[in-house]
Amino acid sequence: MKKLFFLFLLVAVLAAVWTGRPGRDPGVALSPALDAPSGEVPAVAEQPGDAPLSEPESRTAPDESVQEAGEAPQDPHSADEEPRQAPEAVSEKAATTQIVTPEGDTVRKGTVERGDTVGGLLGSVGTGETQHYLRAARQVFSLRKFRAGQAYVVVTDAATGRVKRFEYEIDDRKRLVVEGLDDPVARLENIAYETRLCFVEGVIASDLFSAVADMGEGPQLALRIANLFAAEINFIRDLQEGDSFRVLVEKLYREGEYKGYGKVLAAAFTNRGKTFEAFLFRDGSGREGHFYNAAGESLRKTLLQAPLPITRVTSRFTNSRKHPILGYSRPHLGVDYGAPTGTPVMAVGSGKVLKAGRAGGFGNQIIVRHHQNLESMYNHLSGYARGIRSGVSVRQGQVIGYVGSTGLSTGPHLDFRIKQNGKFIDPTKAVNPRAPGVSRRKAKEFAAVVAEYRAYMSGAKELSAYKTDEELEEHDSEGQ
């Protein structure tokens, strides 16, 4: 009987291992849908982008890089490595398409597969030497950064059968282009998108994510809204049924297919009867905008309302609480936020990391020093975001770690604390001044922007009349 039991156990284990292999479970998505190719600053910072959330270093996805033939494996911690996105799901054999142009050139479009090499992609469709293409590409892009799941195009010459053009999509914003026969030249190009302005509004029945989904929108938009008003509204504590939101947002399309969100231009959120507004405006000479309310006050404050976008409070700041493990009462000088292990934790303010390491009962801990004698503390983390260590600077809204249950903890949560002038204070009552508002010399220009965005949101102005900054700049240059 025991032998039969162990036989069944062995079969079950083998089955679990087999089904857990990459590419064997079609029901598991390997990455979220790509969002806007905006290159924008994350979280509360202006024009937030939606790059897929990073995982803790101890939980990073396997490297899907495609090596160039003959190159050494890439060091995953190299200093010049770009933030890595989770790979797209790749089938056992990705489909390719091949057409012949009227000139007789052959165009092959496909997706980089696991095990592919750059030289192999070029050599499989053309004849002759491919090294000159590799040498040209290296001048503008590290070939070690080729990843499975990315699209490519190879064009071969009708007369010679040699490669005359190669394209590789680096990410959702840029592509590598190498073209030429005997002396190819490489360059990086921006990927062109069609931008459409859209207006989204909804009412909260249970939570923000559900309300946004009910409007047919993606979770990235819910995160945008939560991050945008994170210094005004505590989406963990303050949200209630009947609250509402309105958002004016760009949507990006390629060849008629929706690809993600662009910039949020304006938004309004009514919480407990009070309406908060946000308008994107460039007050300086740079291309990055900032969000302000209608009075021209910045939406950025010294600290965010919470280090997690949307979750629940499981324990509050108090001078006497019975510890769930130690069994006796003692002060709990912070706020506990319950969230699943691996949930990204944001720095509530810009500053410098004083500590990133083990801290006894607090488990894995990060301490950040901010201006005005403020310090924020993040405890029981499962891990740290890449690059987070003592002495590094962090931005407000930057992911610095991940929720866990290390130290004296009964389950996954974040113990969040704030010190001011060396003493712990209730995070919900911390003094939180605003960043500088719109300058006086820009006040009239800002008022015109607010009026225009409100006209779009009210329907007084057609959404189709919207022109992007790039389109306006192109129009101005043509008129000169």
Side-chain angles (χ1 to χ4, degrees), residues 39-41 45-47 280-290:
E40 296 148 359
V41 183
E46 291 65 47
Q47 304 177 13
L280 181 63
F281 181 68
R282 288 206 306 262
D283 191 17
S285 57
R287 296 188 63 85
E288 292 182 0
H290 297 257

Side-chain angles (χ1 to χ4, degrees), residues 162-218:
R162 296 170 60 194
V163 175
K164 65 183 294 184
R165 182 181 174 94
F166 174 66
E167 298 179 10
Y168 166 77
E169 293 193 4
I170 298 169
D171 53 29
D172 54 339
R173 298 183 297 275
K174 288 189 177 294
R175 67 162 63 93
L176 167 70
V177 178
V178 189
E179 58 183 346
L181 287 172
D182 297 320
D183 190 18
V185 177
R187 65 181 183 275
L188 299 181
E189 287 184 348
N190 291 327
I191 296 176
Y193 288 85
E194 176 195 357
T195 302
R196 304 177 190 174
L197 188 61
C198 298
F199 177 61
V200 180
E201 60 181 335
V203 178
I204 306 296
S206 57
D207 61 84
L208 179 58
F209 277 99
S210 297
V212 169
D214 288 344
M215 298 298 103
E217 302 295 334

Side-chain angles (χ1 to χ4, degrees), residues 2-336:
K2 287 184 178 180
K3 290 183 178 180
L4 185 60
F5 169 76
F6 283 114
L7 179 60
F8 278 119
L9 181 61
L10 179 60
V11 171
V13 171
L14 290 174
V17 171
W18 177 255
T19 56
R21 292 175 61 190
R24 292 291 178 183
D25 186 357
V28 178
L30 296 184
S31 70
L34 288 177
D35 197 24
S38 56
E40 296 148 359
V41 183
V44 171
E46 291 65 47
Q47 304 177 13
D50 291 321
L53 298 173
S54 302
E55 292 294 327
E57 288 194 320
S58 58
R59 302 174 61 247
T60 50
D63 188 3
E64 299 295 342
S65 300
V66 179
Q67 284 185 187
E68 177 188 355
E71 289 197 352
Q74 183 180 5
D75 178 3
H77 300 288
S78 59
D80 62 346
E81 181 183 17
E82 295 178 354
R84 185 168 54 192
Q85 297 179 355
E88 293 290 331
V90 181
S91 64
E92 290 288 325
K93 186 67 178 178
T96 59
T97 60
Q98 186 166 300
I99 61 172
V100 177
T101 67
E103 294 78 17
D105 294 339
T106 301
V107 180
R108 179 185 176 187
K109 296 182 179 181
T111 302
V112 179
E113 301 179 50
R114 296 184 182 98
D116 281 344
T117 63
V118 182
L121 292 178
L122 295 170
S124 65
V125 294
T127 60
E129 182 64 47
T130 61
Q131 289 300 315
H132 58 317
Y133 256 72
L134 300 180
R135 284 193 294 269
R138 288 193 198 101
Q139 300 301 311
V140 297
F141 180 70
S142 172
L143 296 182
R144 295 180 180 183
K145 295 180 181 178
F146 272 72
R147 295 187 294 117
Q150 298 301 105
Y152 71 88
V153 177
V154 182
V155 182
T156 54
D157 183 60
T160 64
R162 296 170 60 194
V163 175
K164 65 183 294 184
R165 182 181 174 94
F166 174 66
E167 298 179 10
Y168 166 77
E169 293 193 4
I170 298 169
D171 53 29
D172 54 339
R173 298 183 297 275
K174 288 189 177 294
R175 67 162 63 93
L176 167 70
V177 178
V178 189
E179 58 183 346
L181 287 172
D182 297 320
D183 190 18
V185 177
R187 65 181 183 275
L188 299 181
E189 287 184 348
N190 291 327
I191 296 176
Y193 288 85
E194 176 195 357
T195 302
R196 304 177 190 174
L197 188 61
C198 298
F199 177 61
V200 180
E201 60 181 335
V203 178
I204 306 296
S206 57
D207 61 84
L208 179 58
F209 277 99
S210 297
V212 169
D214 288 344
M215 298 298 103
E217 302 295 334
Q220 299 93 344
L221 186 59
L223 285 172
R224 291 279 195 98
I225 296 169
N227 287 333
L228 182 55
F229 293 106
E232 304 282 357
I233 302 169
N234 189 319
F235 283 85
I236 300 168
R237 183 187 65 231
D238 298 338
L239 213 60
Q240 67 178 17
E241 184 179 355
D243 288 351
S244 60
F245 61 88
R246 297 179 295 137
V247 185
L248 192 64
V249 60
E250 294 176 340
K251 288 188 177 181
L252 306 173
Y253 294 80
R254 282 181 65 189
E255 299 176 355
E257 182 181 353
Y258 170 73
K259 291 296 183 180
Y261 297 106
K263 293 181 291 189
V264 170
L265 302 185
F269 199 102
T270 301
N271 173 240
R272 298 175 180 263
K274 183 178 180 179
T275 298
F276 300 88
E277 293 181 298
F279 301 94
L280 181 63
F281 181 68
R282 288 206 306 262
D283 191 17
S285 57
R287 296 188 63 85
E288 292 182 0
H290 297 257
F291 284 101
Y292 304 89
N293 61 24
E297 298 173 325
S298 175
L299 262 64
R300 292 182 301 159
K301 294 185 178 180
T302 301
L303 302 175
L304 302 180
Q305 287 282 350
L308 301 171
I310 302 173
T311 181
R312 69 188 191 282
V313 174
T314 57
S315 186
R316 300 183 183 279
F317 185 96
T318 177
N319 287 314
S320 181
R321 184 196 72 162
K322 186 175 181 180
H323 195 280
I325 294 178
L326 300 178
Y328 58 84
S329 295
R330 66 177 190 174
H332 182 256
L333 304 179
V335 176
D336 287 352

Side-chain angles (χ1 to χ4, degrees), residues 197 452 456 461-468 471-472:
L197 188 61
E452 180 183 18
Y456 281 127
K461 189 171 183 178
E462 293 292 332
L463 297 174
S464 58
Y466 173 69
K467 301 292 183 184
T468 65
E471 290 172 329
L472 291 174

Side-chain angles (χ1 to χ4, degrees), residues 231 301-305 348-349 370-375 396 418-421 425-434:
K301 294 185 178 180
T302 301
L303 302 175
L304 302 180
Q305 287 282 350
V348 293
H370 312 282
H371 295 300
Q372 301 174 325
N373 295 318
L374 287 167
E375 291 181 10
Q396 184 182 67
I418 287 183
K419 273 186 178 180
Q420 190 164 35
N421 299 319
I425 62 172
D426 187 342
T428 63
K429 298 178 181 178
V431 177
N432 204 5
R434 292 182 184 274

